[in-house]
Amino acid sequence: MSQTALRNLISALILVNEIFDSDDESTDSDDESTDSENELYQDEEELNEPSILTTRVSTVSRRNVPKVAGYEEIVTERMQDYDFKTHFRLHRSTFDLLLGKINIKLQNQTRPTSRCSPNKMLLITLWILATPESYRSVGCRFGVCKKTVFKVIRRTIDAIYEMASTTIKWPGATEAQNIISANSSTAGFPGVLGAIDGTHIPIRTPQHSSGTYINRKGFHSLQLQVVCQHNLKFTDCNVGQPGSMHDARVFRHSEICTDLQNSTLFFPEDSHLIGDAAYPLSDRLLTPYRDTGNLTRYQVRYNFKLSSTRMSVERAIGILKCRFRRLRFFDSPDLAFISKSVIAACTLHNFCIDENDLHFENSEELSSGGAATINSENNIYNSTVTARAKRDRIARLL
């Protein structure tokens, strides 16, 4: 074979080989294209999958969230009384007496098929008032859902709130004499039927008119005004006014301001309340002399003895907030429920004192938050000549 024919044969073989290689690459390219299209269809199905899941949600059974089992049994049967009070802020004996008073009301509000007994309802409510813990974690602790905790709290607070009329009450004639004598023995200040003061209950930002709830310290709050005896019991509570309102205006809008006019019924034998400089002077509400640097020694002694006597109300508010720490901050948009919860806490405070269930922790001073502010609100009231004369007379007697 000539060299020319050999070259032609080799060229032909190379050409045939290139043709076959080209066909293989084309087949691979077709396979890759098919795989890419399959992936696109798969992605499209995944994008459409949520809509399919949404239609299936109604048919899926409710998931069972694991919860702590047997905690109520531990509390009821195995927890020591000291530990019980540490957690629930009451002695076990006080808890049993309280449960006996509201048991029927809680049973009437509970369905027969409910897993929440009145005992558990009261335990949950006390835990909520005593701690800043969330509804979700409390529900997990007691083996119920968050929605159940929400309902239980409101039903139990309503039952305790109904006790307020018989637990927080103005003293009668005989009790008033005992209070006056006890206050006189404290610092020698005569005729004191009670001490009045106010404190702020911090709350979350309200949905409406939030600016009116910002107090002088810069946070949102509700005002709580209380009148307190020498034994730290509350005889009058008023809550619900916005935090920006001055103490004197809160006093003017409270029922106790009207009661001051009924002197013979509420204030026997020329008795009176005492308050700080934020309150207006009247013959039934004595306040300290304003210290401008020119006070006489009688006036200085008067201010000292008045301040010493009214320390009871500051202690009472401090113990209230230390026992029920939920009052340090309420994370709820329902202002009416917050007000009712505060009155319920004050009711429990008095109930514990009646049962000699005193708070054993060192209560921090959390009451009014500093010295009283004196501003134009005091001009709402014009102190009468009688009020000033009464104050001067007591100052000379001390």
Side-chain angles (χ1 to χ4, degrees), residues 132-149:
E133 200 169 346
S134 67
Y135 285 11
R136 187 185 303 277
S137 60
V138 173
C140 180
R141 180 184 300 275
F142 287 93
V144 296
C145 65
K146 183 174 69 172
K147 184 177 181 181
T148 300
V149 174

Side-chain angles (χ1 to χ4, degrees), residues 2 38 42 48 52 62-64 66 89 98 123 128 147 160-161 169 227 253 287 291 316 321 358 368 380 383:
S2 62
N38 290 336
Q42 185 177 0
N48 292 332
I52 298 174
R62 190 174 171 184
R63 66 190 183 93
N64 186 17
R89 324 308 275 178
L98 177 62
L123 287 174
I128 287 290
K147 184 177 181 181
I160 299 174
Y161 180 80
K169 57 183 180 179
V227 177
H253 285 82
T287 59
D291 189 1
K321 285 190 171 183
L358 304 180
S368 29
I380 294 175
S383 58

Side-chain angles (χ1 to χ4, degrees), residues 79-371:
M79 185 175 287
Q80 298 295 324
D81 186 63
Y82 180 89
D83 297 324
F84 184 91
K85 181 169 182 177
T86 301
H87 290 299
F88 299 98
R89 324 308 275 178
L90 310 176
H91 282 305
R92 192 184 300 274
S93 58
T94 309
F95 174 88
D96 293 337
L97 289 173
L98 177 62
L99 181 61
K101 288 184 174 293
I102 64 175
N103 185 46
I104 296 178
K105 296 176 183 178
L106 296 181
Q107 285 180 346
N108 294 336
Q109 296 176 354
T110 307
R111 293 179 301 176
T113 58
S114 175
R115 292 185 299 174
C116 252
S117 63
N119 182 78
K120 179 182 284 189
M121 293 175 69
L122 184 55
L123 287 174
I124 291 175
T125 303
L126 291 176
W127 191 282
I128 287 290
L129 289 177
T131 67
E133 200 169 346
S134 67
Y135 285 11
R136 187 185 303 277
S137 60
V138 173
C140 180
R141 180 184 300 275
F142 287 93
V144 296
C145 65
K146 183 174 69 172
K147 184 177 181 181
T148 300
V149 174
F150 180 86
K151 293 180 179 179
V152 162
I153 290 297
R154 276 155 175 76
R155 292 171 181 172
T156 312
I157 288 295
D158 286 342
I160 299 174
Y161 180 80
E162 292 181 9
M163 295 173 52
S165 60
T166 57
T167 308
I168 304 174
K169 57 183 180 179
W170 198 258
T174 303
E175 187 180 3
Q177 293 296 332
N178 296 333
I179 295 173
I180 293 172
S181 300
N183 282 322
S184 179
S185 62
T186 300
F189 202 101
V192 177
L193 192 56
I196 187 171
D197 201 3
T199 186
H200 291 277
I201 306 297
I203 60 173
R204 66 187 291 185
T205 304
Q207 297 176 351
H208 305 287
S209 304
S210 60
T212 61
Y213 291 89
I214 300 177
N215 57 36
R216 67 178 184 270
K217 289 194 171 184
F219 60 86
H220 297 85
S221 66
L222 292 179
Q223 291 266 22
L224 170 63
Q225 175 188 276
V226 298
V227 177
C228 176
Q229 299 179 10
H230 63 285
N231 60 356
L232 310 184
K233 281 187 63 176
F234 299 127
T235 55
D236 185 82
C237 297
N238 180 275
V239 64
Q241 298 294 350
S244 63
M245 187 175 290
H246 188 268
D247 289 350
R249 187 177 292 272
V250 174
F251 172 75
R252 187 181 68 173
H253 285 82
S254 63
E255 293 183 3
I256 190 64
C257 181
T258 305
D259 295 340
L260 290 178
Q261 310 303 323
N262 301 323
S263 57
T264 57
L265 180 62
F266 294 98
F267 294 91
E269 299 185 5
D270 199 31
S271 58
H272 43 260
L273 300 178
I274 55 175
D276 58 23
Y279 292 96
L281 174 66
S282 71
D283 55 348
R284 297 301 177 190
L285 176 56
L286 298 183
T287 59
Y289 290 96
R290 184 175 299 184
D291 189 1
T292 58
N294 298 316
L295 295 181
T296 66
R297 62 188 181 92
Y298 299 105
Q299 293 172 337
V300 172
R301 185 184 298 114
Y302 168 92
N303 283 358
F304 174 77
K305 289 184 176 294
L306 183 143
S307 177
S308 300
T309 307
R310 65 174 295 274
M311 285 180 60
S312 59
V313 68
E314 296 182 352
R315 287 184 57 208
I317 294 176
I319 290 175
L320 175 71
K321 285 190 171 183
C322 192
R323 186 191 291 267
F324 303 113
R325 295 176 181 268
R326 181 70 58 171
L327 272 61
R328 296 185 179 186
F329 180 75
F330 264 96
D331 189 13
S332 173
D334 190 348
L335 299 183
F337 169 70
I338 295 176
S339 298
K340 187 174 289 188
S341 299
V342 173
I343 296 297
C346 294
T347 302
L348 292 175
H349 171 88
N350 277 13
F351 187 81
C352 290
I353 293 178
D354 289 337
E355 300 302 325
N356 200 28
D357 189 349
L358 304 180
H359 197 55
F360 51 74
E361 294 183 3
N362 293 325
S363 60
E364 304 169 3
E365 175 45 52
L366 301 169
S367 56
S368 29

